[in-house]
Amino acid sequence: MLVLSRQRDESIMIGDNVEITIVDVRGDRVRLGITAPADIPVHRKEVYEMIKREGGGSYKSHARHGKSRNSTQGSDEQS
């Protein structure tokens, strides 16, 4: 596991098209902003595990369609 330190408003890039930004830090809670193409599913781990348990199908089939997506931790919604 790669461990990186970031402060508010700093980002981490995964490949050329996934950006994770530290949006806010309050106590022991960190809010993340995630920008990724629509064909890359982005979920909290517990949601991902539920999809895998319930669906048994392809994880990518749960990706929403569109050009790009911004998401914050805790919402699993597209903007």
Side-chain angles (χ1 to χ4, degrees):
M1 174 187 298
L2 174 64
V3 178
L4 302 172
S5 297
R6 298 278 72 199
Q7 295 180 11
R8 188 172 176 254
D9 297 326
E10 293 182 333
S11 297
I12 297 168
M13 294 299 299
I14 300 176
D16 292 330
N17 56 5
V18 177
E19 180 178 11
I20 300 173
T21 303
I22 306 304
V23 175
D24 193 24
V25 179
R26 292 184 187 171
D28 64 347
R29 308 267 307 171
V30 177
R31 289 181 53 103
L32 303 174
I34 302 168
T35 303
D39 64 333
I40 298 177
V42 177
H43 298 288
R44 292 174 289 151
K45 186 173 181 178
E46 61 272 19
V47 172
Y48 166 80
E49 290 171 347
M50 181 182 66
I51 291 168
K52 293 295 280 184
R53 269 194 319 272
E54 291 180 1
S58 171
Y59 174 66
K60 287 201 172 218
S61 69
H62 292 275
R64 295 183 182 178
H65 300 286
K67 292 183 181 176
S68 67
R69 153 176 81 235
N70 293 318
S71 180
T72 55
Q73 179 185 10
S75 68
D76 284 2
E77 295 178 2
Q78 290 181 328
S79 305

